């Protein structure tokens, strides 16, 4: 008997014990499974060029996509406003899923409500659900704003949100002036990055269209985009802005909301952009979006109000951070602080120290379009060689931008860009044309198991490691920690590979 | 419980309800109660629509059908049919372990397979796309033993006919294709999804297989099925081990680590043993009515209930099996006694508050009692009246019972009862811990397990101890705050 009170074996060890291995054998005999040879043959086939061609030729089937749906992004954007309750009009299961998904990444509670539409609401419309839902949510959770987004059911049946909300005001579910921005975010359009954009735009529009007159000031707005590292990154951005002496408004800042202390109190709302800040953001000199593909529509709207705008691609590394800082300097007329120049020098120093290990390694990268761009740009600076760059929610425009970027460096020559493809396609790509490492989210774990290619976790969602989101990936400091994360994996793998013979298992690297 | 203490608990419920708008307070008041011993049920209404806007913990029919019942069948491909989100959020999150299978070759449990609906599919319908999806599955995953089509909300709203596509393609590929109408707006919770999933399993797998020969299968008088064990963290294996050790043969396990063959074989057991009554009682009743297979509930949490269940199962068989049950109990009891001796002193008198799904709000209760603990409050996300009747066999007088509790209610009740441990789900975990309460996820076993069977109990005990007695809970207040 393997189990004892002294040495308790759990799932990680217990089932390797002989009595369980024998149990599996007995079970498998009753499963009518394919014979081992057939399984081995098919496994080998899935790694072939022939399979790759069939796999890439798929037109209807999606397997292991690296994207989520619009309302998830809307919810993420909504909770970055102060005391704002994310409110999904649709089926309640959607909201349960969004809350779980974000909680699993941030290891934080994630509050949001649903109007719990059921079959009768599908037939007669969800008006009563919305009116009652607003009344309950307002009374119980006492938010300053309720940011409404939709899930599939409400969009398919065509619920008229505007008139429903008017009715809720009229019936006294919520006070007359209580803010209720609304975003249409069906899951069958775009992905979470578009939902993020829609929610940001809905909040800006809601306040800015209420007869607000733009009186330009010297402030800068910044829209971070959907970012799994938002906790570390938004705080790093604030530090950078403070060094500049620039008054910044981060439009949707989830850094406190997804990082509340454990001190005996549950803060359903913490931090975030206030309504006054949102109103004042109209007057800013300029708005910078850190992720272009998360902010297309919002930026267009903001530009229409007379602000200067700039769209970046998840800036990481030297060149991208340089440009970000120069943009700030250009917008504000303020010089780049000396302390940041020192930080730049330290990052160069670190890259130089480690260049021998970083140079020439090959990587395949997957994730949101802006993340892929920022990551590849930094890798090229390290002398690293991207092999496959894949974004399930990246389109033609993104692919063109990637190709232009790759053409700027000799290290980009091997790279292939894959817009719209999923991770099962990526498995074929890596099986036939492998790279040394994969950079992406937890979903890339399968490549490690199936193909032996180690995964470096640097983008959302990261479910199986903890707390990385608390550390920045932006700015020179953030770039340094990204570089160290990559370097640690390179050296850990080298140690693992040399541990058996001891040859090259060096004390100094 | 003393009348005064009970009255205080009733007052706590009244105070909580007072914070709702009156209409909502009236509705929610029917779902919260303090249990009076001797009553045949818990005195709460159940299986009713959730109140909008209060932050219900419940999910939807898709979650019940794909996430719970069908998803763990390993050698079938389960299509999340509709937009990308539903399949994405449920991808690999239930820890339904599989054995001896190669992912993407003869198992697809930890993959997200979807038709990824776009706007044009909504406008023009998704049936043509489904045809193509099935063809592409056959091309890339030829060793699959069948396909299920798990409908998401839009499918049922745009008038797609997945049944006719499934029938046609099933004939063409010569394998079962099961259309599961589990759109998220159906019913009031995951529960209807279970029921729909059971019905489709009946109509598309079990009944059609009744005419199918299984030449390699030799029946024995000791054949049983384990039903409603989803093998979370390996639960079904820890259970199977005991059933086998007492001399029975497990001819199928639903649906944790299940193969399609095991589902087809359903009707051939001498008795069906069901763990999660809520999610799979329907199919057990069907097999009883149509094929005359009796069924019984069992509970493999904690030594007291395990022994009771082993004996109850043995009652249906001959002396050889009865002796087998006694032999198994005798074999493991010294080990579980040692576990209790080790952990009980650390856990004695601790109070736990539970809020989970199908069977656990009652089933785990006596495992806590084995460790000297007490369930002070419990409730279900999606139970029915028969679950609350069964719950009375487990709980004590004065236990707080809640049905479809909102996050708001759970927080208020936790603050008032001050439990030593809260057991619920991922959405409740982090907020509860911030309040200073130790917490274990009781859906996923908090990435631990198995908790079933004799091998699971030591892990369960260890986990409750490490949750409750971790030093972190004594560090919550800054020392200078204590001084104030």
């Amino acid at each position: 008997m393997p189990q004892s009170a002294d040495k308790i074996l759990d799932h990680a060890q217990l089932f390797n014990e002989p009595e369980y291995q024998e149990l599996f054998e007995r079970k498998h005999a009753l499963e009518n499974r394919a014979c081992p040879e057939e399984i081995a043959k098919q496994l080998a086939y899935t790694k072939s060029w022939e399979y790759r061609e069939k796999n890439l030729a798929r037109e209807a089937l999606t397997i292991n996509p690296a994207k989520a749906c619009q309302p998830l992004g809307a919810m993420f954007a909504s909770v970055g406003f102060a005391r704002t309750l994310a409110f999904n009009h649709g089926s309640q299961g959607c909201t349960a899923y969004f809350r779980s998904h974000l909680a699993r990444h941030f290891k934080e509670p994630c509050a949001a409500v649903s109007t719990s539409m059921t079959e009768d609401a599908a037939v007669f419309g969800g008006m009563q659900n919305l009116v009652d839902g607003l009344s309950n949510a307002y009374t119980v959770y006492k938010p300053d704003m309720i940011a409404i987004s939709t899930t599939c059911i409400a969009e398919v049946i065509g619920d008229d949100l505007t008139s429903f909300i008017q009715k809720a005001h009229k019936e006294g579910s919520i006070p007359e002036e209580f803010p209720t921005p609304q975003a249409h975010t069906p899951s069958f359009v775009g992905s979470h990055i578009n939902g993020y954009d829609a929610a940001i735009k809905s909040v800006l529009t809601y306040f800015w269209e209420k007869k607000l007159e733009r009186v330009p000031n010297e402030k800068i707005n910044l829209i971070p985009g959907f970012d799994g590292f938002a906790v570390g990154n938004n705080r790093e951005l604030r530090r950078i802005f403070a060094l500049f002496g620039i008054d910044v408004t981060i439009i949707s800042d989830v850094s406190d909301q997804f990082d509340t202390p454990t001190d005996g109190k549950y803060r359903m709302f913490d931090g975030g952009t206030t309504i006054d800040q949102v109103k004042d953001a109209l007057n800013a000199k300029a708005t910078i979006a850190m992720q272009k593909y998360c902010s297309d529509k919002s930026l267009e709207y903001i530009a229409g109000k007379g602000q200067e705008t700039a769209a970046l691609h998840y800036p990481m590394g030297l060149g991208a951070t340089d440009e970000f800082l120069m943009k700030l300097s250009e917008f504000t007329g303020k010089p780049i602080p000396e302390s940041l120049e020192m930080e730049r020098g330290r990052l160069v120093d670190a890259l130089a120290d480690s260049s021998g290990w970083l140079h020439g390694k090959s990587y395949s990268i997957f994730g949101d379009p802006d993340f892929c761009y920022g990551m590849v740009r930094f890798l090229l600076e390290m002398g690293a060689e991207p092999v496959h760059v894949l974004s399930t929610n990246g389109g033609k425009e993104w692919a063109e931008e990637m190709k232009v970027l790759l053409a700027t460096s000799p290290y980009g020559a091997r790279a292939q860009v894959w817009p719209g493809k999923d991770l099962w396609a990526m498995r074929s790509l890596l099986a036939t044309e492998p790279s040394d490492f994969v950079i992406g989210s937890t979903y890339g774990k399968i490549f490690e198991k199936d193909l032996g290619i180690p995964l470096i976790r640097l983008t959302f969602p990261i479910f199986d490691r903890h707390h990385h989101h608390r550390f920045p990936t932006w700015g020179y400091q953030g770039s340094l920690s990204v570089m160290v994360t990559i370097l640690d994996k390179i050296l850990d793998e080298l140690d693992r590979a040399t541990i058996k013979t001891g040859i090259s298992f060096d004390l100094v690297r | 419980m003393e009348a005064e203490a009970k009255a205080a608990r009733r007052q706590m419920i009244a105070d909580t309800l007072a914070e709702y708008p009156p209409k909502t307070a009236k509705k929610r008041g029917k779902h919260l109660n303090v249990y009076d011993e001797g009553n045949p049920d818990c005195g709460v209404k159940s299986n009713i629509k959730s109140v909008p806007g209060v932050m219900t913990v419940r999910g939807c029919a898709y979650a019940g059908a794909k996430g719970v019942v069908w998803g763990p069948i390993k050698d079938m491909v389960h299509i999340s049919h509709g937009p990308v989100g539903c399949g994405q959020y449920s991808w690999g999150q239930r820890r339904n372990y599989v054995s001896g299978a190669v992912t993407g070759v003869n198992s697809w449990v930890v993959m997200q397979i979807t038709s990824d609906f776009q706007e044009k599919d909504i406008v023009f319908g998704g049936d043509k796309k489904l045809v193509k999806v099935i063809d592409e599955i056959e091309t890339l995953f030829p060793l699959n033993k069948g396909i299920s089509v798990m409908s998401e909300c839009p499918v049922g709203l745009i008038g797609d006919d997945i049944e006719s596509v499934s029938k046609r393609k099933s004939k063409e590929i010569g394998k079962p294709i099961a259309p599961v109408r589990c759109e998220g707006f159906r019913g009031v919770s995951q529960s209807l999804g279970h029921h729909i999933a059971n019905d489709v399993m009946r109509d598309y797998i079990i009944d059609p297989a009744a005419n199918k020969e299984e030449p390699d299968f030799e029946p024995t008088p000791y054949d049983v099925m384990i039903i409603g064990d989803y093998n979370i963290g390996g639960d079904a294996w820890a259970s199977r081990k005991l059933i086998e050790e007492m001399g029975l043969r497990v001819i199928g396990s639903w649906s944790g680590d299940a193969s399609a063959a095991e589902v087809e074989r359903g009707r051939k057991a001498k008795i069906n043993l069901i763990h999660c009554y809520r999610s799979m009682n329907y199919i057990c009743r069907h097999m009883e009515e149509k094929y005359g297979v009796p069924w019984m509930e069992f509970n493999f949490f904690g030594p007291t209930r395990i022994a009771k269940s082993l004996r109850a199962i043995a009652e249906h068989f001959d002396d050889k099996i009865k002796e087998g049950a006694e032999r198994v109990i005798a074999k493991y009891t010294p080990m579980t006694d040692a576990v209790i001796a080790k952990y009980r002193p650390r856990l004695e008198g601790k109070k736990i508050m539970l809020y989970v799904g199908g069977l656990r709000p009652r089933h785990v209760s006596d495992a806590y009692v084995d460790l000297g603990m007490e369930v002070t409050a419990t409730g279900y996300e999606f139970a029915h009246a028969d679950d609350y009747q069964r719950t009375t066999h487990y709980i004590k007088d004065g236990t707080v019972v809640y049905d479809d509790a909102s996050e708001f209610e759970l927080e208020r009740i936790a603050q008032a009862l001050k439990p030593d441990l809260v057991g619920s789900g991922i959405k409740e975990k982090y907020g509860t811990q911030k309040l200073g309460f130790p917490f274990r996820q009781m859906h996923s076993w908090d990435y631990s397990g198995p908790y079933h069977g004799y091998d699971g109990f030591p892990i369960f005990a260890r986990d409750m101890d490490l949750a409750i007695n971790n030093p972190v809970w004594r560090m919550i207040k800054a020392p200078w705050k204590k001084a104030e």
Side-chain angles (χ1 to χ4, degrees):
Chain A
M1 182 163 46
Q3 197 68 294
S4 74
D6 297 330
K7 191 162 183 281
I8 295 170
L9 306 180
D10 65 17
H11 55 98
Q13 309 97 23
L14 185 64
F15 303 122
N16 297 327
E17 293 293 324
E19 46 192 87
Y20 277 99
Q21 291 297 312
E22 288 157 20
L23 177 147
F24 291 156
E25 267 174 43
R26 285 193 297 276
K27 181 173 191 306
H28 298 160
L30 287 162
E31 287 181 349
N32 287 4
R33 57 215 319 249
C35 65
E37 295 74 33
E38 206 178 350
I39 293 168
K41 199 176 136 200
Q42 175 65 16
L43 177 61
Y45 180 59
T46 63
K47 297 177 183 175
S48 68
W49 276 91
E50 192 186 329
Y51 189 89
R52 166 176 163 157
E53 271 155 33
K54 286 183 181 171
N55 193 359
L56 290 176
R58 268 185 281 138
E59 288 173 352
L61 174 63
T62 297
I63 309 165
N64 296 357
K67 67 171 180 181
C69 66
Q70 280 211 86
L72 180 86
M75 182 172 154
F76 180 93
S78 300
V79 299
F81 294 96
R83 296 193 59 81
T84 296
L85 183 64
F87 185 102
N88 291 126
H89 184 45
S91 298
Q92 68 198 13
C94 313
T95 306
Y97 276 144
F98 309 146
R99 294 180 60 214
S100 304
H101 201 68
L102 291 171
R104 286 181 177 124
H105 172 82
F106 287 108
K107 317 296 178 201
E108 288 288 319
C110 192
V113 300
S114 162
T115 55
S116 298
M117 285 174 72
T118 50
E119 210 146 4
D120 52 345
V123 176
F124 302 112
M127 183 173 74
Q128 203 53 47
N129 295 62
L130 191 118
V131 171
D132 290 347
L134 284 174
S135 164
N136 287 325
Y138 174 78
T139 311
V140 176
Y141 296 110
K142 302 176 179 63
D144 286 350
M145 168 162 52
I146 292 179
I148 303 170
S149 56
T150 53
T151 62
C152 291
I153 181 171
E155 291 295 329
V156 174
I157 67 173
D159 266 0
D160 180 359
L161 281 187
T162 309
S163 77
F164 293 180
I165 294 166
Q166 276 169 0
K167 189 169 161 56
H169 282 295
K170 218 182 274 166
E171 288 192 359
S173 291
I174 40 173
E176 200 59 48
E177 289 304 310
F178 186 80
T180 49
Q182 41 163 303
H184 290 278
T185 50
S187 302
F188 46 82
V189 175
S191 73
H192 58 286
I193 58 177
N194 308 96
Y196 179 96
D197 194 14
I200 296 285
K201 190 183 166 190
S202 77
V203 173
L204 297 181
T205 312
Y206 183 88
F207 292 104
W208 292 4
E209 296 303 315
K210 284 196 187 299
K211 290 180 195 150
L212 273 190
E213 198 65 42
R214 178 170 136 87
V215 186
N217 60 30
E218 289 303 306
K219 292 182 185 174
I220 300 292
N221 299 327
L222 185 140
I223 305 174
F226 190 100
D227 176 22
F229 284 76
V231 170
N233 276 341
N234 292 357
R235 289 176 184 164
E236 178 65 9
L237 289 172
R238 288 196 187 281
R239 189 183 70 87
I240 291 170
F241 277 91
L243 290 170
F244 260 101
I246 300 171
D247 201 341
V248 64
T249 304
I250 297 182
I251 295 178
S252 178
D253 182 2
V254 297
S255 61
D256 290 340
Q257 181 68 30
F258 286 137
D259 192 23
T260 61
T262 287
D263 59 359
K265 188 174 160 190
Y266 168 49
R267 296 159 178 82
M268 186 163 143
F269 306 110
D270 200 22
T273 319
T274 64
I275 291 171
D276 285 344
Q277 286 170 330
V278 172
K279 287 178 181 164
D280 187 45
L282 174 64
N283 305 321
K285 188 161 194 299
T287 297
I288 298 179
M290 298 298 273
Q291 300 189 69
K292 178 185 164 189
Y293 291 104
C294 288
S295 315
D296 272 341
K297 294 202 166 123
S298 300
L299 272 197
E300 190 188 313
Y301 172 68
I302 292 167
K305 293 286 166 189
Q307 285 188 28
E308 292 178 79
T309 62
L312 309 179
H313 286 304
Y314 206 93
M316 289 191 287
L318 274 171
T321 308
D322 292 346
E323 279 174 23
F324 170 54
L325 299 186
M326 288 190 290
K327 203 46 144 178
L328 289 184
S329 180
E330 179 196 318
F331 280 149
T332 60
K334 295 189 183 207
I336 292 170
E338 211 170 298
S339 58
L340 287 174
E341 209 175 312
M342 293 295 281
E343 286 179 22
R344 183 186 194 280
R346 291 179 193 125
L347 175 61
V348 177
D349 185 71
L351 285 166
D353 294 346
S354 311
S355 59
W357 294 111
L358 295 166
H359 194 105
K361 297 286 185 297
S362 66
Y363 300 85
S364 293
I365 300 98
F366 72 88
D368 287 346
D370 293 294
F371 169 78
C372 287
Y373 189 100
M375 192 68 248
V376 166
R377 187 168 178 188
F378 192 17
L379 288 171
L380 293 174
E381 288 175 345
M382 296 179 206
E385 297 178 19
V387 177
H388 303 289
V389 188
L390 181 145
S391 183
T392 309
N393 48 357
K396 273 187 201 147
E397 185 190 346
W398 167 78
E400 286 313 311
E401 283 175 332
M402 283 307 313
K403 283 174 189 162
V404 170
L405 170 68
L406 289 160
T408 61
S409 163
Y411 307 111
R414 281 170 74 186
Q416 300 173 64
V417 180
W418 303 100
K421 294 292 179 191
D422 55 39
L423 299 181
W424 192 249
M426 189 154 189
R427 183 180 178 278
S428 275
L429 300 172
L430 288 166
T432 46
E433 294 175 284
S435 55
D436 297 330
F437 298 91
V438 170
I439 296 178
S441 68
T442 288
Y443 298 134
K445 249 184 132 149
I446 189 173
F447 307 130
E448 200 156 338
K449 185 165 170 286
D450 286 5
L451 307 168
I453 304 176
L455 170 69
I456 303 170
R457 293 161 178 81
L458 279 168
T459 194
F460 180 90
I462 301 175
F463 296 137
D464 61 341
R465 297 290 184 273
H466 296 192
H467 306 308
H468 291 276
H469 65 274
R470 297 177 195 262
F471 302 95
T473 55
W474 287 343
Y476 298 122
Q477 290 295 109
S479 302
L480 184 66
S481 84
V482 168
M483 188 272 266
V484 173
T485 303
I486 294 171
L487 187 65
D488 275 348
K489 186 63 92 177
I490 294 173
L491 297 177
D492 282 348
E493 287 300 317
L494 185 60
D495 280 349
R496 221 189 307 279
T498 55
I499 208 159
K500 266 192 189 151
T501 63
I503 298 168
S504 161
F505 187 69
D506 292 344
L507 271 185
V508 187
R509 299 275 194 205
Chain B
M1 181 176 276
E2 282 170 31
E4 209 171 300
K6 237 167 157 177
R9 288 186 165 197
R10 292 219 159 85
Q11 189 57 46
M12 163 193 82
I13 290 175
D15 292 346
T16 304
L17 290 169
E19 294 193 48
Y20 281 127
K23 190 169 128 189
T24 302
K26 198 176 161 205
K27 279 187 183 167
R28 286 300 310 152
K30 295 173 184 161
H31 298 263
L32 307 172
N33 193 29
V34 178
Y35 176 61
D36 289 313
E37 201 156 55
N39 279 358
D41 60 40
C42 298
V44 295
K45 294 266 182 212
S46 60
N47 199 27
I48 293 173
K49 271 194 272 186
S50 299
V51 180
V54 297
M55 215 178 311
T56 172
V57 175
R58 281 174 170 176
C60 63
Y62 166 90
K66 185 265 185 179
V68 175
V69 178
W70 280 86
I73 302 174
K74 60 185 174 184
D75 55 2
M76 293 181 73
V77 176
H78 310 291
I79 306 166
S80 291
H81 188 43
V84 71
C86 317
Q88 200 71 7
Y89 308 124
S90 55
W91 179 3
Q93 300 298 354
R94 278 214 7 122
R95 302 186 68 235
N96 309 111
Y97 283 2
V98 296
S99 65
V102 183
T103 295
V105 173
N106 65 338
S107 169
W108 294 271
V109 174
V110 288
M111 290 175 69
Q112 158 27 358
I113 296 184
T114 173
S115 46
D116 189 9
F117 267 28
Q118 301 300 305
E119 199 151 20
K120 64 175 190 299
D121 302 313
I122 303 291
V123 177
F124 300 109
D127 285 343
K128 276 188 187 150
K129 190 171 200 178
L130 181 59
V131 169
K132 214 171 210 177
V133 161
I134 292 167
D135 288 339
E136 291 178 353
I137 285 172
E138 281 297 291
T139 304
L140 294 180
F141 306 132
L143 298 186
N144 79 73
K145 295 289 179 66
I147 291 169
S148 75
V149 182
M150 315 301 303
S151 300
E152 299 168 7
C153 287
V155 173
L157 297 169
I158 60 177
D160 274 10
D161 188 356
I162 59 168
E163 288 79 6
S164 104
V165 173
S166 299
K167 272 191 190 133
R168 186 154 52 90
K169 295 302 286 182
S170 172
K171 229 179 233 168
E172 204 181 301
I173 67 172
K175 298 174 191 175
I177 299 180
V180 189
R181 284 283 182 184
C182 55
E183 288 89 348
F185 58 79
R186 295 196 195 277
V188 301
S189 68
Q190 292 93 312
S191 184
L192 189 63
H194 304 142
H195 197 150
I196 293 165
N198 277 230
D199 288 353
V200 175
M201 202 172 256
R202 173 194 70 202
D203 295 343
Y204 286 81
I205 311 277
I206 295 166
D207 287 356
N211 308 317
K212 211 167 138 182
E213 298 269 313
E214 198 185 0
D216 297 338
F217 182 79
E218 286 282 331
T220 78
Y222 301 115
D223 290 351
V224 299
M225 296 273 301
I226 296 177
I227 294 184
D229 188 327
Y230 301 104
N231 204 31
I232 289 161
D235 278 342
W237 298 328
S239 297
R240 184 186 196 98
K241 190 176 162 216
L242 304 183
I243 304 285
E244 287 187 351
E245 279 187 51
M246 71 192 280
L248 299 172
R249 183 171 80 149
V250 181
I251 60 165
S253 156
W254 295 6
S255 52
D257 196 29
S259 56
E262 291 168 68
V263 183
E264 291 186 336
R265 195 181 291 136
R267 67 193 188 284
K268 294 183 182 170
K270 295 291 169 284
I271 186 166
N272 285 322
L273 309 174
I274 181 166
H275 210 239
C276 181
Y277 168 83
R278 180 73 274 132
S279 59
M280 292 200 91
N281 76 83
Y282 318 99
I283 201 70
C284 291
R285 291 176 198 279
H286 171 70
M287 287 188 283
E288 182 175 47
E289 280 163 25
K290 184 148 186 180
Y291 304 106
V293 184
W295 57 281
M296 63 169 287
E297 294 173 61
F298 72 109
N299 178 349
F300 268 5
F301 287 106
T304 303
R305 285 284 167 178
I306 297 172
K308 218 171 168 176
S309 294
L310 287 173
R311 289 184 176 122
I313 293 166
E315 277 306 309
H316 294 266
F317 293 92
D318 57 18
D319 285 349
K320 192 186 118 191
I321 301 301
K322 286 182 189 128
E323 282 159 29
E326 294 306 323
R327 193 177 58 245
V328 173
I329 295 165
K331 176 183 167 188
Y332 288 97
T333 300
M335 187 269 283
T336 53
D337 282 350
V339 169
I340 290 168
K342 180 175 173 182
Y343 288 106
R344 188 162 179 143
R346 304 187 206 176
L347 298 171
E348 189 78 57
K350 301 287 185 193
K351 291 190 166 47
I352 172 155
M353 179 172 156
L354 291 169
Y355 182 58
V356 215
L359 75 160
R360 291 161 182 174
R362 61 175 181 273
H363 255 112
V364 294
S365 167
D366 284 349
Y368 286 109
V369 173
D370 285 335
L371 293 167
M373 299 169 69
E374 183 192 321
V375 175
T376 184
T378 193
Y380 301 78
E381 279 180 42
F382 50 77
H384 298 202
D386 50 2
D387 292 297
Y388 286 106
Q389 286 157 11
R390 284 166 167 77
T391 306
T392 61
H393 306 156
Y394 287 88
I395 59 175
K396 279 193 182 172
D397 190 49
T399 304
V400 177
V401 178
Y402 27 73
D403 175 76
D404 183 22
S406 66
E407 298 284 3
F408 161 74
E409 291 163 9
L410 290 173
E411 187 195 336
R412 286 303 149 98
I413 293 167
Q415 295 273 35
L417 296 180
K418 304 216 178 316
D420 299 293
L421 178 69
V422 178
S424 189
I426 183 73
K427 302 191 290 298
E428 294 71 62
K429 178 180 173 78
Y430 300 105
T432 307
Q433 290 185 170
K434 285 175 196 298
L435 288 168
F437 298 115
F439 189 98
R440 287 298 292 184
Q441 290 182 67
M442 293 302 280
H443 299 263
S444 67
W445 303 148
D446 231 315
Y447 321 119
S448 180
Y451 283 176
H452 288 180
Y454 284 119
D455 280 349
F457 180 66
I459 305 165
F460 173 81
R462 177 199 71 179
D463 289 353
M464 298 312 137
D465 174 53
L466 67 81
I468 291 174
N469 293 316
N470 190 281
V472 71
W473 306 117
R474 293 190 291 277
M475 300 173 191
I476 284 172
K477 288 284 171 222
W480 55 91
K481 285 270 165 130
K482 272 184 197 157
E484 271 168 22

